[in-house]
Structures are given as C-alpha cells and as structure tokens.
Amino acid sequence: MVSLKVEDIKTFTTQLFVRDTFDRFLVRDVKIVTYNTFSIDGHIKQGYFSEEEKEAQGLKELSAWEMVRPVCFTLIKGKRLPGSFHIVLQLSQKDTIEFLGRAGTSLKEDQVKGLFVNIRYENQNLHCVTGILLNFFTMDKSLENEWDKEFGEFLKKNEIPWSQE
C-alpha cells in the first residue's frame, strides 16, 4: 500500500471524470459531497439487466467506471468544487490476470480478490492509495509492491504528476 499525492488535481480530475483513462476499472464505491452527499454502490443489482444484456456488455458483479463516470461528472461539474469525493476502483479481472503475468508472481488469479485504488479528494488535496486483497494471509509484500509501482507508472503514462507520501 502506498499513498500518492496528486500534484495536478485539474489534470487528474479531467482524466478521471471527462476522459476514458480510468474506464477499464470497476467501481466498488463512490461518495461525492456537494450540496448533498451522494453515494453509489458499484455492485450491479440482480435482475436489472437481462442475462443477454449482461453478457453483451461484459457485466459481472461490479459496474465499470465507464458506466458510472457520466453520473459522477454530472454531480461535480459546475462553478463550485465538490466539498470532497471518495472513489474506490478495482482492477478488472482481465486486467488483474494480465498484471499477475507481468508481475512475475506465482499467485493464481483465484488467490487475488482485488487490486484497488482509493481516490480521496478533500481539503483541496487529492490522494490515491493503492491496496490489494488476497484470500489468504502472507508476509510477502512483493505483489503489493508491484501494484504500487504499476499504478504510479499508470499515472506517469497519463501525464499525471504525483509524489509519494
């Protein structure tokens, strides 16, 4: 787990809310505070989509950021900055499998419950905190360190300046 302070909030929020930079991530949870507090649970409600729709859109348990992003953008756009927002994104299963291959780990995909990014904006500061969830206990932090490094590279590739705290 690493905490990265985003140095250019405008660039980051444009990438997050306007562009498709984060669209491949899945949404666990969103909380946006403006004139009200808005909460979004990223879990897809059973029965809302037909099986055919779910298959056609590649939907499983969680919504893609691509689906939720326009709603979130509507909530934050305007003359005033949001009071705060907290967004928990998870790497998709497909991207997790690809990451595990690049990371050179011996872990199997069924041992990794998730690779996460917690995005928190408050008091005019924006931080990204990475994290992993395994379905077993280990003292080995190599996968966590690789995920920290991978997310930092993701930000760098998308020209989002950051510093480590």
Side-chain angles (χ1 to χ4, degrees), residues 19 96 107 151:
R19 300 212 177 111
T96 297
L107 293 176
F151 189 73

Side-chain angles (χ1 to χ4, degrees), residues 49-110:
F49 293 108
S50 69
E51 289 303 316
E52 294 79 23
E53 289 173 312
K54 286 169 62 175
E55 188 174 318
Q57 296 179 45
L59 301 174
K60 295 194 178 179
E61 178 187 353
L62 298 170
S63 297
W65 177 247
E66 177 181 23
M67 292 175 68
V68 177
R69 177 172 47 90
V71 175
C72 294
F73 180 64
T74 299
L75 293 172
I76 66 149
K77 73 179 179 182
K79 293 179 181 179
R80 297 180 187 174
L81 293 172
S84 65
F85 60 79
H86 181 213
I87 301 169
V88 181
L89 298 177
Q90 179 178 341
L91 200 62
S92 70
Q93 182 178 11
K94 177 181 180 256
D95 290 338
T96 297
I97 293 167
E98 290 175 12
F99 169 74
L100 290 173
R102 285 191 309 276
T105 179
S106 62
L107 293 176
K108 307 280 187 274
E109 66 182 89
D110 62 341

